[in-house]
Amino acid sequence: MSQVTDTLGEKCPLCANKQRLVPLWFQENTETWIKCDICNAWCHASCLKLPSEECDRIDEYHCPECTRTHGPSIYKVGIRKSKREHSKVNYADLENGLTGNPYKWKRVLDLKLFQKHKFRKIRGEQLTIDWVRWFGLEEPIIIENSDGLDMKMPHKDITVSEIAEAVGYDTPVDVIDVSTQQEIPDWNMYKWATYFDGPKRDQVLNVISLEVSDTSFGDSILRPRIVRELDWVENMWPNKKNIEYPKVQLYCLMSIKDSFTDFHIDFGGSSVFYHVIRGSKVFYFVPPTPSNLKKYSRWISSPEQSMTFFADLVKDCFEVKLVAGNTMIIPTGWIHAVYTPDDSIVIGGNFLHGFNIGIQLAIYDIEKRTNVPIKYRFPYFEKMSWYAGKYYNKILKEDSSSLSQWELKGIVELALFLLGFTGKLESNSESTIEERQLIKDNIPNEISDPIRLTKRLSRRINRIINQGNMDFDEEESEDQKVNLKSCRRDHDDNSGISREDNSVSTKIKLRVKKRVIDEDHEKSVKWAKTSSSVPRPPPYNYSIYSYDENDRESSTSPTPEEIAKVEQIIKEKIREFELENRKKNYKN
């Protein structure tokens, strides 16, 4: 009688190179295997056309190949099969020494009262780059029908087993135990498909971070047109073939009923597109106001986080329900949790863009201050910011009229962010050798002179603003004066910058004023049902930043303390500006 062993990882030699129309959960949990006592090969009983009952009567089994030399199998002694049954282990319980309750989140949500959202619902053909230039990306956008989004998604009946086959059964996957919100180690797509498509589930598990960009499955997906047009990685990162790049553009999320993802902000303040293929989702959104971001920062750093429902700490939390076929754009910085009422499959992706640069940088700062592990941050964020600086410097030089007021405001913030690095590279900086090297490592090779780049970026945004494309307050307080950047004259002489370039303003005066909207014009905009584009509206009447070219102090670089003060002023003023607009919108 041959010994019955676990067959996990074995391949049946009779069907190894054939496609089998058998669900993975059946293959893994109930399909009968039988082992040859001569060559020790395991085969599917179904491939041998042996009924399961007959396998029970075989004592010594000989496969077809071994039958030629050792004769037929010997019957009537023992059992030669494996049901591939595995012990049911709650990994989170073993690690934490407690029994988690995966359904506690549903009970918590049922006891809470959430506000009804007033976010925009638009048609796919309306969501164009011109629409974004007019309305911005300040609140979630819901598209109930994907027609007009110019995207390609998997068919609505796709299974996790099919996804596993497309991305590779051995592909590692991060699985989250919903009861503890902790990751479970050592899972791959084969094991996950077996769990998801199987008839028995002893845990509530969730997968929200399977990146599929460089797989055959990912190749069959096309993101919405608006995402492709906005995405910094898509438009600014150099040739992505054979080099590393931020692989965050395409995720497959697979959640079973009652899955819950606790409140979070997407890494690097990135925005997200979210399309429900199957099932349904419920989102709980908290606006990224200065007060809410401070509370969030304290909450994620608190040892009481697991015992505190974040929505209880804030004033406003909005509920949004999505069903199969719905698409949503989640803008920068929105704090949100997600509940899954039914088994669901979702395609989504993260992207940085130029319409909320300030909040993106603020979220990145929160991640650094709260020591978020590198694994959970936007990859190559600083390098991506340098590429963005190079890109916008070129746009400002060639055709600044193509930039919206949102982007012009953000370019100032981006310039200040990059100046924080170049200031530490100056010879008079107190930065350590390690700090300098880390900064240099994050500067792309394509940018040979980062100081020159930041100076020209500052000069060009200075000129655009002073040309009158924005309105400004005439009154400026002393504490709003910001030392933007001044590169050393000797550096300019060595870098080939012309004398004209040395006229860069070294002072920026910050002023944020309430947005003024032409309500009559907005009411007059009627989106045609069949139109795939909209007329470009006039820009918002903003007062954001003003520069004073005559206000110079010295040709030295700003100190780290000055830069930190600048960044803090910008963040506070922008938050006040956005909070005021949101309050007005919610009130209306």
Side-chain angles (χ1 to χ4, degrees):
M1 177 178 179
S2 63
Q3 184 179 1
V4 177
T5 62
D6 187 356
T7 60
L8 183 61
E10 295 285 345
K11 293 184 178 180
C12 173
L14 302 179
C15 65
N17 298 320
K18 299 179 182 179
Q19 183 177 4
R20 305 187 69 222
L21 301 178
V22 182
L24 279 178
W25 66 264
F26 179 82
Q27 298 176 31
E28 177 70 16
N29 294 285
T30 62
E31 188 169 27
T32 300
W33 289 65
I34 190 166
K35 176 184 176 182
C36 176
D37 290 277
I38 305 301
C39 66
N40 294 324
W42 284 91
C43 300
H44 295 129
S46 58
C47 292
L48 295 165
K49 298 183 179 180
L50 286 175
S52 178
E53 296 77 13
E54 185 173 357
C55 292
D56 291 340
R57 298 190 296 108
I58 298 177
D59 176 35
E60 186 175 312
Y61 173 69
H62 300 167
C63 69
E65 190 68 24
C66 294
T67 298
R68 300 176 183 177
T69 55
H70 293 76
S73 303
I74 301 174
Y75 280 70
K76 295 184 179 179
V77 177
I79 299 176
R80 295 290 181 274
K81 67 175 181 177
S82 166
K83 288 289 186 178
R84 287 195 172 207
E85 296 178 353
H86 303 284
S87 59
K88 299 178 180 180
V89 180
N90 188 321
Y91 295 91
D93 292 350
L94 290 177
E95 182 177 349
N96 296 285
L98 51 86
T99 301
N101 182 357
Y103 305 103
K104 65 180 180 181
W105 302 107
K106 179 63 168 63
R107 291 201 291 269
V108 169
L109 295 172
D110 288 342
L111 294 173
K112 303 297 180 181
L113 183 62
F114 301 98
Q115 293 173 266
K116 185 177 180 180
H117 78 87
K118 296 182 180 179
F119 304 140
R120 294 181 184 272
K121 292 184 178 181
I122 65 175
R123 296 187 300 277
E125 64 267 18
Q126 293 177 247
L127 190 55
T128 65
I129 194 68
D130 287 321
W131 191 96
V132 174
R133 288 190 177 115
W134 174 253
F135 292 106
L137 284 177
E138 289 194 312
E139 295 181 348
I141 302 169
I142 301 167
I143 306 96
E144 294 183 334
N145 190 313
S146 61
D147 292 344
L149 284 176
D150 187 23
M151 68 179 185
K152 183 180 179 182
M153 291 290 155
H155 62 85
K156 63 180 181 179
D157 298 320
I158 192 170
T159 65
V160 174
S161 293
E162 292 173 327
I163 296 172
E165 182 178 4
V167 302
Y169 292 130
D170 295 330
T171 301
V173 61
D174 295 328
V175 176
I176 297 176
D177 185 327
V178 172
S179 63
T180 62
Q181 296 291 291
Q182 301 295 319
E183 286 188 10
I184 305 176
D186 303 326
W187 278 66
N188 59 21
M189 278 303 297
Y190 188 94
K191 188 175 180 180
W192 172 249
T194 300
Y195 161 82
F196 194 101
D197 289 341
K200 296 181 180 180
R201 300 166 177 170
D202 55 349
Q203 295 172 270
V204 178
L205 305 180
N206 194 11
V207 168
I208 59 174
S209 58
L210 177 65
E211 221 286 337
V212 298
S213 293
D214 293 334
T215 66
S216 59
F217 181 63
D219 292 341
S220 67
I221 299 172
L222 182 65
R223 299 182 299 164
R225 176 191 60 251
I226 188 63
V227 175
R228 304 195 305 269
E229 292 176 345
L230 293 174
D231 185 10
W232 276 3
V233 175
E234 181 86 9
N235 296 287
M236 302 178 190
W237 200 274
N239 186 5
K240 296 185 287 294
K241 293 183 179 179
N242 302 322
I243 64 171
E244 293 185 353
Y245 68 96
K247 291 180 62 176
V248 297
Q249 297 172 294
L250 209 55
Y251 285 98
C252 181
L253 298 82
M254 298 160 282
S255 310
I256 71 165
K257 176 180 169 60
D258 292 319
S259 291
F260 179 78
T261 303
D262 208 351
F263 285 93
H264 64 283
I265 300 175
D266 282 279
F267 46 32
S270 56
S271 298
V272 178
F273 87 90
Y274 202 91
H275 179 76
V276 182
I277 303 293
R278 206 176 92 188
S280 60
K281 291 282 187 178
V282 182
F283 284 79
Y284 303 94
F285 283 110
V286 175
T289 65
S291 175
N292 289 343
L293 288 176
K294 289 180 181 178
K295 292 176 181 178
Y296 176 77
S297 181
R298 289 195 296 266
W299 177 70
I300 61 175
S301 304
S302 170
E304 306 296 322
Q305 178 185 2
S306 61
M307 294 178 283
T308 305
F309 190 65
F310 180 72
D312 292 339
L313 305 177
V314 299
K315 179 181 178 181
D316 299 322
C317 186
F318 302 94
E319 184 180 67
V320 177
K321 298 179 180 179
L322 299 182
V323 297
N326 290 170
T327 305
M328 181 165 62
I329 304 294
I330 304 174
T332 302
W334 278 74
I335 308 163
H336 58 283
V338 189
Y339 173 70
T340 307
D342 311 288
D343 289 1
S344 69
I345 296 177
V346 171
I347 298 297
N350 296 70
F351 59 100
L352 297 173
H353 57 85
F355 288 83
N356 279 320
I357 296 176
I359 301 183
Q360 288 173 178
L361 298 176
I363 300 304
Y364 179 69
D365 179 65
I366 289 177
E367 292 173 345
K368 293 183 69 175
R369 286 190 288 105
T370 56
N371 297 316
V372 173
I374 297 297
K375 177 182 178 181
Y376 302 112
R377 298 188 197 178
F378 193 98
Y380 306 109
F381 183 91
E382 292 180 8
K383 183 171 288 188
M384 184 71 256
S385 298
W386 280 106
Y387 279 126
K390 179 182 178 182
Y391 174 85
Y392 286 122
N393 181 58
K394 181 179 179 181
I395 295 296
L396 290 173
K397 178 182 178 181
E398 297 177 353
D399 183 20
S400 61
S401 63
S402 64
L403 296 172
S404 68
Q405 306 298 305
W406 311 89
E407 293 165 293
L408 292 174
K409 176 183 69 173
I411 292 172
V412 177
E413 298 155 3
L414 178 62
L416 289 167
F417 178 70
L418 298 179
L419 289 171
F421 298 122
T422 55
K424 294 179 181 179
L425 295 178
E426 293 283 356
S427 58
N428 62 344
S429 171
E430 297 180 357
S431 302
T432 64
I433 296 177
E434 291 76 14
E435 289 175 332
R436 291 169 181 265
Q437 188 58 48
L438 182 60
I439 292 172
K440 292 178 180 179
D441 290 342
N442 287 322
I443 298 176
N445 294 331
E446 293 86 346
I447 300 176
S448 58
D449 193 338
I451 296 178
R452 180 182 181 183
L453 171 63
T454 54
K455 182 170 184 175
R456 289 192 166 184
L457 182 65
S458 303
R459 172 175 58 82
R460 285 173 176 143
I461 188 64
N462 181 359
R463 287 181 176 176
I464 296 301
I465 293 176
N466 285 330
Q467 285 173 359
N469 287 352
M470 301 180 183
D471 292 336
F472 307 100
D473 280 351
E474 294 181 358
E475 297 180 1
E476 299 287 350
S477 60
E478 287 299 321
D479 62 346
Q480 289 174 320
K481 293 182 179 180
V482 180
N483 189 345
L484 177 62
K485 179 64 180 174
S486 173
C487 297
R488 287 184 175 275
R489 188 175 301 276
D490 57 355
H491 173 82
D492 296 342
D493 293 337
N494 294 329
S495 62
I497 299 178
S498 66
R499 184 61 57 185
E500 179 184 358
D501 291 339
N502 283 327
S503 64
V504 177
S505 169
T506 60
K507 280 290 188 176
I508 169 177
K509 294 181 179 179
L510 173 65
R511 171 66 74 185
V512 179
K513 191 169 70 176
K514 183 178 178 181
R515 181 178 67 183
V516 179
I517 301 177
D518 185 346
E519 295 182 357
D520 293 334
H521 175 84
E522 185 176 9
K523 291 178 181 179
S524 67
V525 176
K526 297 181 179 179
W527 311 107
K529 292 184 178 181
T530 59
S531 175
S532 60
S533 62
V534 297
R536 181 174 180 179
Y540 282 138
N541 180 11
Y542 269 110
S543 286
I544 304 173
Y545 305 101
S546 67
Y547 293 77
D548 185 353
E549 292 188 348
N550 297 320
D551 191 2
R552 293 176 179 265
E553 287 185 352
S554 68
S555 60
T556 60
S557 300
T559 66
E561 291 76 15
E562 290 174 329
I563 293 174
K565 183 177 180 180
V566 168
E567 293 174 343
Q568 185 61 33
I569 292 173
I570 287 178
K571 291 172 186 176
E572 291 175 357
K573 292 297 181 181
I574 291 173
R575 298 300 183 279
E576 292 174 5
F577 164 80
E578 293 172 343
L579 178 59
E580 187 175 358
N581 281 325
R582 288 197 178 99
K583 285 183 176 179
K584 180 179 178 181
N585 292 336
Y586 296 150
K587 185 176 181 180
N588 294 335

